[in-house]
Amino acid sequence: MSNLKKVLYVDDEVMNLFLFENLLSNNFEIETTKNPEKGLEILKEDASFDVVISDMKMPGMNGLEFIKRAKEFYKNCPYLILSGYHKIPEIEEALEEGFISNFLQKPFEVEEITAIIHKEIEAFESN
């Protein structure tokens, strides 16, 4: 059994899922899905995720909508948005209200995103 922190990453772009998993799998136990609805199912079936990361722009349900639905039953972890777009007012507001704990920009540096994810998990666990 691994003692790596467990990350769920939701992104509708298969290449982004592939890159995220390949670049970060040495640092985290990673589960990915390209479908936000499937992401909700995964969270309902497995309560062991330490952090949930979602893309913002996805068909059918954007990242904030996905997080809002996930938080209805899965509150016990930090939620982050990872996007190729700049911070829009909706994301700024979500950060200010503490709805999401961080906003990460694509493309990302492996060391930087690893440090941020660990920092978010530690901050959450110390509260």
Side-chain angles (χ1 to χ4, degrees), residues 35-77:
N35 182 321
E37 291 287 348
K38 177 72 175 153
L40 294 171
E41 286 175 30
I42 291 168
L43 290 173
K44 283 179 181 166
E45 293 167 10
D46 183 352
S48 67
F49 288 95
D50 296 291
V51 67
V52 175
I53 301 174
S54 178
D55 184 29
M56 181 60 186
K57 291 188 185 280
M58 299 181 287
M61 186 187 317
N62 75 30
L64 291 177
E65 291 165 341
F66 163 74
I67 290 169
K68 181 177 187 205
R69 290 191 46 200
K71 280 188 167 199
E72 288 172 8
F73 62 89
Y74 198 92
K75 293 188 171 87
N76 61 337
C77 75

